[in-house]
């Protein structure tokens, strides 16, 4: 399932995939795979992404 | 993994490989010079020393590159620490280890069944047995130490 919330949050923060990847210390491909729903990140990476984008885990990764 | 940690690891591996290579090379050359025949093929010992020495050289170059330009090496650090790539690498390592273990087991079984007269007698049979035991022991040892480490960290958290 695609992670649209993360993509929206990233665009709102005005970050490219490359910039976000650099901040959280992963490759751009990993960010792309998370957004497309093809990779389940670890809790640590989820938290790092949330911190980088100024969101909570609920905002970014909780499915209603 | 940050750059500092990578520098330390490269330094540690570089020194380890140089020490192993140096010992093998010095041992081989000394044995040849003094004509001591402890090992049947001294040239092989000298030849073997080039493997760790080459590895040492690779880590030496990496070490100096990391020290000179940490920013340039950042992409390498990311590639080595990205959890997805690390998981893929670990899976490949694990599969390769299992294949090797199976190959050693089949070689040992095949050799034992085909040449029963060699059991306990030849060096080849002992080497295969040793490799087989080492592969199982190492696997068990790493697994138990990883479990111990995990349990210890869980106890600290509680």
């Amino acid at each position: 399932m695609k992670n649209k919330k993360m993509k929206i949050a990233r665009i709102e923060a005005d970050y490219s995939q490359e910039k976000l990847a650099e901040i959280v210390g992963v490759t751009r491909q990993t960010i792309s795979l998370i957004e497309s729903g093809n990779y389940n990140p670890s809790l640590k990476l989820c938290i790092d992404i949330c911190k980088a984008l100024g969101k909570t885990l609920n905002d970014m990764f909780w499915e209603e | 993994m940050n750059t500092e940690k990578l520098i330390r690891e490269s330094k540690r591996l570089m020194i380890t490989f140089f020490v192993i290579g140096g010992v093998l090379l010095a041992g081989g050359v000394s044995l040849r010079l003094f004509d001591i025949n402890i090992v049947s093929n001294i040239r092989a010992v000298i030849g073997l020393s080039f493997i760790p020495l080459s590895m040492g050289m690779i880590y030496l170059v990496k070490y100096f590159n990391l020290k000179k330009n940490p920013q340039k090496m950042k992409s390498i650090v990311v590639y080595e620490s990205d959890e997805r790539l690390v998981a893929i690498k670990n899976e490949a390592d694990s599969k390769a280890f299992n294949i090797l273990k199976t190959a050693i087991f089949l070689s040992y079984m095949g050799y034992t069944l085909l040449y029963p007269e060699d059991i306990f007698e030849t060096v080849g049979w002992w080497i295969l047995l040793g490799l087989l035991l080492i592969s199982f022991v190492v696997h068990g040892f790493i697994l138990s130490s990883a479990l111990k480490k995990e349990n210890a960290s869980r106890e600290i958290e509680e």
Side-chain angles (χ1 to χ4, degrees):
Chain A
M1 191 183 279
K2 281 189 178 182
N3 193 338
K4 285 180 184 171
K5 288 175 186 175
M6 182 175 149
K7 192 172 181 176
I8 292 164
R10 178 176 60 76
I11 293 165
E12 276 175 0
D14 202 21
Y15 284 150
S16 64
Q17 285 186 344
E18 206 154 1
K19 179 72 183 167
L20 179 61
E22 196 187 320
I23 293 167
V24 296
V26 294
T27 56
R28 190 196 58 78
Q29 287 85 351
T30 300
I31 298 295
S32 170
L33 286 168
I34 295 168
E35 285 184 356
S36 62
N38 291 317
Y39 175 66
N40 288 324
S42 68
L43 183 57
K44 186 185 171 297
L45 183 54
C46 289
I47 293 168
D48 287 345
I49 291 168
C50 288
K51 280 179 181 170
L53 297 175
K55 300 278 181 184
T56 65
L57 280 170
N58 272 358
D59 294 339
M60 297 274 281
F61 296 101
W62 188 254
E63 295 290 339
E64 293 297 330
Chain B
M1 190 185 283
N2 58 32
T3 317
E4 279 299 312
K5 201 175 171 187
L6 200 72
I7 289 172
R8 276 203 308 274
E9 199 180 295
S10 298
K11 193 179 175 183
R12 187 175 54 80
L13 285 168
M14 177 188 75
I15 292 168
T16 309
F17 281 122
F18 275 134
V19 167
I20 294 169
V23 167
L24 278 174
L25 186 66
V29 170
S30 309
L31 289 174
R32 206 171 179 189
L33 278 176
F34 300 110
D35 206 23
I36 304 165
N37 291 319
I38 301 170
V39 187
S40 58
N41 194 349
I42 297 166
R43 273 187 184 179
V45 177
I46 297 170
L48 273 176
S49 71
F50 286 102
I51 297 170
L53 285 175
S54 309
M55 292 299 290
M57 283 302 290
I58 290 167
Y59 280 103
L60 180 76
V61 171
K62 192 177 171 183
Y63 174 73
F64 280 113
N65 277 337
L66 279 166
K67 279 215 124 180
K68 262 187 194 171
N69 198 347
Q71 280 303 313
K72 194 182 165 188
M73 296 300 287
K74 205 173 178 183
S75 63
I76 294 172
V77 176
V78 167
Y79 269 94
E80 287 187 9
S81 62
D82 185 321
E83 62 172 42
R84 184 177 60 87
L85 298 176
V86 170
I88 291 169
K89 191 176 165 284
N90 287 346
E91 200 183 328
D93 287 349
S94 170
K95 277 182 185 166
F97 178 71
N98 279 334
I99 290 167
L100 265 176
K101 213 163 72 170
T102 310
I104 292 169
F105 177 72
L106 290 175
S107 306
Y108 170 75
M109 288 300 287
Y111 188 61
T112 305
L113 290 171
L114 286 172
Y115 304 100
E117 67 277 7
D118 283 359
I119 298 172
F120 299 119
E121 297 294 330
T122 59
V123 178
W125 185 84
W126 279 108
I127 289 172
L128 273 177
L129 179 67
L131 285 173
L132 185 68
L133 290 176
I134 286 168
S135 69
F136 282 104
V137 170
V138 165
H139 182 246
F141 180 75
I142 291 172
L143 186 68
S144 74
S145 65
L147 287 172
K148 268 183 197 169
K149 205 173 164 184
E150 198 182 281
N151 285 338
S153 63
R154 199 176 292 161
E155 278 168 18
I156 290 166
E157 281 168 16
E158 282 171 3

